[in-house]
Amino acid sequence: MNAERDLAPLAPSVVRALNDKLYEKRKVAALEIEKLVREFVAQNNTSQIKHVIQILSQEFALSQHPHSRKGGLIGLAACSIALGKDSGLYLKELIEPVLTCFNDADSRLRYYACEALYNIVKVARGSVLPHFNVLFDGLSKLAADPDPNVKSGSELLDRLLKDIVTESNQFDLVGFIPLLRERIYSNNQYARQFIISWILVLESVPDINLLDYLPEILDGLFQILGDNSKEIRKMCEVALGEFLKEIKKNPSSVKFAEMANILVIHCQAADDLIQLTAMCWMREFIQLAGRVMLPYSSGILTAVLPCLSYDDRKKNIKEVANVCNQSLMKLVIPEDDEVDETKQSMTLPAEPTSQESLSKTEATSSMLNQPLSFPCSSERIQVTLNLDGIVQVLDCHLHDTSIGMMTRIAVLKWLYHLYIKTPRKMFRHTDSLFPILLRTLSDESDEVILKDLEVLAEIASSPAGQTEGHGPSDGSDVRPGPVELHIPARTSQLSSSGTKGLECSPSTPTMNSYFYKFMINLLKRFSSERKLLETRGAFIIRQLCLLLNAENIFHSMADILLREEDLKFASTMVHTLNTILLTSSELFQLRNQLKDLRTPESRNLFCCLYRSWCHNPVTTVSLCFLTQNYKHAYDLIQKFGDLEVTVDFLTEVDKLVQLIECPIFTYLRLQLLDVKNNPYLIKALYGLLMLLPQSSAFQLLSHRLQCVPNPELMQTTDSTKPSTGFKRMTASNIDYTELLQHFEKVQNKHLEARHQRAGRAEQLDRRVVL
């Protein structure tokens, strides 16, 4: 190296010392350089200063020889010290070669580079801020350096830089955010720790509003929260906590919409801390932003609903998720049913579909690039409820058999809430929801069934579901059309008596066209799933009687069963309905209505029930007992002699006798005192007694009839007055002859069906033998 020719104004002795392997000699050379540069500063000789820096950079710091590089680094630091406050004019030339040495393979050289940069930054102070990004980039690499000495040196430089940023009001946050967003996704623990420490510093500076750029780094923060290091997790938790405090203080300046989908993703994280933290943020967002969060409802529900079924091991997450769910539900208001679809161009940006919200891969980067920027105060902007997305998520969760009970209950509560608040829009989805709601009746949980029935009852009774002669939107499943559901037309066609009472349905304005659809499909469900009928049938019908009009339920079911081709099922269903009618406290008023048959509606109901009850002889007699039609009951029992008496038949008679002894038939037993005016009651009871074998039921009824008083002893002065029972019966205008003929016709069908079944069974047995 020709020092005299190439490296002036540096003296040859200085050049040799800078290239020396001994640190002490290089230090002496650095002091000479400092002295030289001070002279140039005093002379205001900028060209010579630049020339010295260029020589130290090109010939030494970027040299191939390691000792030369070390000499160049200490020389550049000496220049900076000599320049003092004027070093800011030459920072680019001073910093760049030092940063290049950060990538050197020699750890000692990286340490010297760190030391040199520390001295440069210490002198320049605030003047280094325009170069902050390159300094930060270099420091982020050193933070993950494997050499402890280099790491220690970088920490000193890092603290110095943080002090400068803290005391300055000229920090370029806008220019720094892209670099921070890039570096925040580092997987190295030390790099992550470095990033979090800087975020905490920037948060603490009053003049720096990092909250405006939180959407850019929030996803990265949540990823760091899942780090294996407890210390890093704690630091990240503190940083997120500080951000949340600031959000609560200044909600009007928060870009809630830009962060909603980020939270949705992390609310579904496998890591408990990430999930709990994201859920807490979601809770605050819903409560602070209000209806601004509505366009993201389906994604939020996708994340929140599964958490509601967590066990005690995730109790905290479950509790926060429940608050999120309740708060979100409250945001849906009746006005959402009136919003015109054409206003969507004015609305907030909508969320991805429910499938997209479930996908975590590549979702974050795409969301962060969305230009979603508006103030929280924009609740005045029209917000459209994405009902289609919400219903899709709810439907998906109902179809998922693996979800927990509390999640299913929450889904049904949502559906009920939506039918209450937005019935007009919800009825567009009713045909697609109807099958799964019916299947949910087979759920193992009574609570789920109760909520399901509430939803179905609301569908069946809501005025918004009235199609007024036009059927609901076409569904994929095969179901009877609306014309078939119209009971008046069908009943009048099947009425051979010509009585007007049979041609009208119950007059209940709260029932819509879906009510009959529901009844038909419920009976189909019972028919195809007999176990459901046996275990939950009575429970379901009793609850429906509380939620809907009991008269409508019995009238419509009786009418539908009249056309049931499966006679065995019809008989079983009639027996179930009859048991409910006679024993359930929920049907007290309906029993009282039938007991007297004073109104045309009650007589119409009796005739409708009677025609279906004919599928089961014993239930038909019990209906006559309930309605005090004792003569007709006696006539029916007389016909029993022509029927095929089976063990099942005798068992039902046995149960009827037991029922007569119950409180429900107290009035019937008291009427036994009036022997003269109730002869057919006594005859009917004796008829039942004659049907029974010598069993406990026979003894029970026999003892009861032995208590019937002698009519001569019961004579009173007003015995000549006409019977009130006779008056009621004759005033009812019911054609009992026609009803009896209908009974015989139905029973003949049952007899033929039994013989056909027996014949098929016999043929099957023969084939097995052969």
Side-chain angles (χ1 to χ4, degrees):
M1 186 180 289
N2 193 333
E4 289 79 3
R5 189 184 61 184
D6 299 328
L7 304 179
L10 297 182
S13 60
V14 172
V15 173
R16 282 195 301 271
L18 285 176
N19 285 301
D20 201 283
K21 64 179 180 179
L22 295 174
Y23 172 74
E24 288 75 11
K25 290 187 178 182
R26 294 196 301 271
K27 188 173 182 181
V28 171
L31 291 171
E32 290 297 322
I33 292 171
E34 183 182 341
K35 184 179 177 181
L36 179 66
V37 172
R38 285 186 191 278
E39 291 175 1
F40 290 148
V41 171
Q43 299 166 8
N44 198 23
N45 193 343
T46 56
S47 60
Q48 283 291 63
I49 294 171
K50 287 183 178 179
H51 189 49
V52 170
I53 294 173
Q54 185 180 8
I55 290 170
L56 291 170
S57 173
Q58 299 298 324
E59 302 298 332
F60 289 92
L62 300 178
S63 170
Q64 297 297 319
H65 196 279
H67 297 313
S68 298
R69 293 201 294 273
K70 292 173 186 176
L73 289 169
I74 198 169
L76 288 169
C79 286
S80 178
I81 292 169
L83 287 167
K85 62 180 181 180
D86 293 332
S87 63
L89 301 171
Y90 310 95
L91 276 176
K92 187 175 187 296
E93 293 81 3
L94 289 167
I95 289 173
E96 284 184 355
V98 178
L99 288 174
T100 302
C101 293
F102 276 10
N103 300 316
D104 200 284
D106 186 354
S107 62
R108 288 299 296 168
L109 208 139
R110 293 198 303 273
Y111 175 78
Y112 287 132
C114 193
E115 186 179 49
L117 189 58
Y118 179 87
N119 288 317
I120 294 169
V121 171
K122 187 176 181 180
V123 173
R125 300 297 295 183
S127 300
V128 301
L129 288 178
H131 308 278
F132 179 80
N133 279 13
V134 291
L135 293 172
F136 182 89
D137 185 45
L139 272 174
S140 66
K141 294 172 183 174
L142 288 188
D145 199 285
D147 188 273
N149 291 325
V150 176
K151 197 179 297 179
S152 177
S154 72
E155 287 172 1
L156 287 171
L157 176 58
D158 182 48
R159 281 199 290 270
L160 174 62
L161 203 55
K162 284 173 181 171
D163 289 339
I164 294 170
V165 169
T166 304
E167 66 190 23
S168 172
N169 57 1
Q170 297 178 349
F171 181 71
D172 182 13
L173 186 61
V174 177
F176 172 60
I177 288 298
L179 179 61
L180 179 61
R181 182 177 59 191
E182 177 192 341
R183 294 289 180 213
I184 204 168
Y185 287 104
S186 172
N187 290 323
N188 184 277
Q189 286 189 354
Y190 297 106
R192 283 180 164 184
Q193 195 168 13
F194 172 78
I195 292 290
I196 292 294
S197 68
W198 267 101
I199 290 173
L200 285 168
V201 167
L202 294 175
E203 270 189 291
S204 66
V205 180
D207 294 333
I208 297 176
N209 186 13
L210 196 55
L211 191 62
D212 283 347
Y213 302 94
L214 183 57
E216 305 284 332
I217 60 173
L218 185 62
D219 178 66
L221 282 171
F222 272 107
Q223 292 202 23
I224 293 175
L225 191 61
D227 195 274
N228 294 327
S229 167
K230 288 184 179 180
E231 184 182 354
I232 294 174
R233 288 165 76 101
K234 186 64 180 176
M235 286 178 66
C236 191
E237 207 173 348
V238 170
L240 286 167
E242 290 300 318
F243 275 123
L244 195 56
K245 284 180 186 176
E246 201 170 339
I247 287 170
K248 291 179 182 178
K249 287 180 184 176
N250 304 296
S252 59
S253 61
V254 179
K255 300 171 182 176
F256 289 106
E258 292 188 36
M259 294 182 278
N261 286 323
I262 299 172
L263 293 182
V264 166
I265 290 171
H266 292 291
C267 280
Q268 301 170 74
D271 184 282
D272 287 355
L273 180 59
I274 295 176
Q275 190 177 27
L276 177 59
T277 307
M279 200 67 74
C280 289
W281 275 62
M282 185 67 79
R283 175 190 62 196
E284 298 301 330
F285 271 39
I286 295 170
Q287 293 175 353
L288 292 170
R291 287 177 58 81
V292 169
M293 299 297 287
L294 269 186
Y296 308 92
S297 298
S298 63
I300 296 170
L301 287 175
T302 300
V304 166
L305 288 173
C307 302
L308 300 177
S309 293
Y310 282 174
D311 55 26
D312 289 341
R313 287 173 295 179
K314 295 186 176 183
K315 185 179 179 182
N316 292 340
I317 299 173
K318 179 181 178 179
E319 289 174 352
V320 179
N322 189 49
V323 175
C324 289
N325 183 53
Q326 297 295 330
S327 301
L328 188 65
M329 194 180 289
K330 290 176 183 176
L331 298 179
V332 181
I333 55 176
E335 285 73 12
D336 289 316
D337 206 30
E338 302 165 5
V339 176
D340 191 350
E341 313 295 358
T342 59
K343 295 181 182 177
Q344 288 187 0
S345 58
M346 302 167 54
T347 64
L348 304 175
E351 62 182 331
T353 62
S354 58
Q355 283 81 8
E356 288 171 345
S357 66
L358 290 168
S359 174
K360 299 181 185 177
T361 56
E362 300 181 0
T364 305
S365 58
S366 63
M367 282 186 287
L368 293 176
N369 292 327
Q370 290 178 4
L372 310 176
S373 179
F374 60 92
C376 176
S377 59
S378 63
E379 283 194 8
R380 290 185 297 272
I381 296 177
Q382 182 64 57
V383 177
T384 301
L385 180 69
N386 181 17
L387 195 63
D388 292 352
I390 293 175
V391 172
Q392 184 181 358
V393 171
L394 298 176
D395 184 57
C396 180
H397 278 81
L398 271 186
H399 277 88
D400 186 358
T401 55
S402 65
I403 63 170
M405 179 188 75
M406 296 309 297
T407 299
R408 294 198 298 277
I409 291 173
V411 168
L412 293 167
K413 282 182 177 179
W414 259 101
L415 288 172
Y416 181 76
H417 183 73
L418 291 173
Y419 271 110
I420 293 292
K421 297 295 182 182
T422 59
R424 184 176 62 86
K425 289 184 177 180
M426 275 303 292
F427 267 94
R428 300 171 189 171
H429 302 279
T430 298
D431 283 332
S432 62
L433 288 170
F434 211 67
I436 186 60
L437 288 171
L438 284 167
R439 284 201 293 274
T440 306
L441 291 173
S442 303
D443 197 275
E444 296 175 355
S445 166
D446 286 352
E447 291 181 62
V448 172
I449 293 175
L450 281 173
K451 286 298 170 188
D452 191 36
L453 289 172
E454 285 182 19
V455 177
L456 287 165
E458 182 59 31
I459 291 173
S461 60
S462 173
Q466 186 57 54
T467 55
E468 297 181 1
H470 298 283
S473 59
D474 294 334
S476 58
D477 55 329
V478 179
R479 291 192 289 266
V483 176
E484 295 177 20
L485 297 173
H486 189 55
I487 282 184
R490 293 182 306 178
T491 310
S492 61
Q493 290 170 5
L494 289 159
S495 173
S496 58
S497 64
T499 56
K500 292 182 180 179
L502 297 178
E503 295 180 3
C504 60
S505 294
S507 177
T508 310
T510 55
M511 299 300 112
N512 58 37
S513 53
Y514 277 98
F515 172 79
Y516 299 103
K517 191 178 193 178
F518 176 30
M519 293 297 107
I520 286 172
N521 281 279
L522 180 60
L523 289 174
K524 280 185 178 180
R525 190 89 186 148
F526 286 148
S527 177
S528 62
E529 199 173 337
R530 297 298 172 87
K531 188 177 179 182
L532 176 65
L533 175 60
E534 293 170 11
T535 56
R536 297 286 180 78
F539 171 72
I540 289 171
I541 294 169
R542 287 173 61 182
Q543 293 303 318
L544 282 175
C545 288
L546 288 174
L547 295 166
L548 296 168
N549 182 278
E551 180 183 348
N552 282 68
I553 291 170
F554 273 79
H555 198 297
S556 58
M557 283 192 169
D559 188 80
I560 295 163
L561 286 170
L562 198 57
R563 271 154 297 283
E564 177 59 53
E565 295 179 359
D566 185 346
L567 298 181
K568 190 174 182 180
F569 166 71
S571 177
T572 305
M573 194 68 222
V574 162
H575 176 72
T576 302
L577 289 171
N578 185 66
T579 304
I580 296 167
L581 177 63
L582 294 179
T583 60
S584 298
S585 57
E586 295 87 351
L587 297 175
F588 175 77
Q589 290 186 345
L590 187 60
R591 285 196 295 272
N592 279 347
Q593 183 181 342
L594 284 167
K595 192 185 295 182
D596 296 327
L597 299 181
R598 290 177 179 173
T599 63
E601 289 81 13
S602 62
R603 291 193 288 272
N604 169 45
L605 178 61
F606 165 73
C607 291
C608 181
L609 294 181
Y610 182 95
R611 291 177 177 280
S612 286
W613 263 229
C614 287
H615 282 296
N616 190 307
V618 180
T619 59
T620 315
V621 171
S622 66
L623 180 65
C624 291
F625 281 160
L626 175 66
T627 55
Q628 302 182 63
N629 284 302
Y630 301 134
K631 183 179 186 306
H632 193 70
Y634 172 70
D635 292 339
L636 284 172
I637 293 170
Q638 289 291 95
K639 295 289 182 183
F640 284 5
D642 300 330
L643 302 179
E644 183 180 7
V645 178
T646 62
V647 174
D648 290 340
F649 175 84
L650 292 175
T651 302
E652 289 192 29
V653 175
D654 190 299
K655 289 179 180 177
L656 177 58
V657 171
Q658 303 286 344
L659 204 59
I660 290 170
E661 294 298 319
C662 292
I664 205 134
F665 278 119
T666 301
Y667 68 92
L668 180 146
R669 298 195 299 274
L670 288 173
Q671 286 174 350
L672 291 174
L673 295 172
D674 189 0
V675 179
K676 185 174 182 181
N677 288 324
N678 294 293
Y680 288 106
L681 170 59
I682 298 171
K683 285 186 176 183
L685 292 177
Y686 270 110
L688 290 178
L689 189 67
M690 294 304 109
L691 286 171
L692 287 168
Q694 299 281 334
S695 61
S696 57
F698 176 89
Q699 297 296 331
L700 189 66
L701 185 56
S702 177
H703 288 155
R704 173 64 64 185
L705 289 171
Q706 287 172 15
C707 298
V708 174
N710 188 324
E712 298 297 329
L713 297 176
M714 302 300 291
Q715 288 284 349
T716 58
T717 55
D718 60 347
S719 60
T720 55
K721 291 184 179 180
S723 165
T724 54
F726 179 75
K727 282 173 110 179
R728 181 188 61 77
M729 193 164 56
T730 54
S732 65
N733 296 324
I734 296 174
D735 188 346
Y736 287 100
T737 303
E738 188 273 331
L739 291 179
L740 196 61
Q741 291 171 356
H742 177 77
F743 175 81
E744 291 175 340
K745 183 179 176 182
V746 172
Q747 285 305 308
N748 284 334
K749 286 183 180 179
H750 275 269
L751 185 62
E752 290 175 12
R754 277 197 296 271
H755 288 166
Q756 287 175 3
R757 286 198 299 271
R760 285 196 296 270
E762 189 176 341
Q763 287 178 4
L764 187 62
D765 290 342
R766 286 176 183 171
R767 288 176 188 172
V768 171
V769 171
L770 290 173

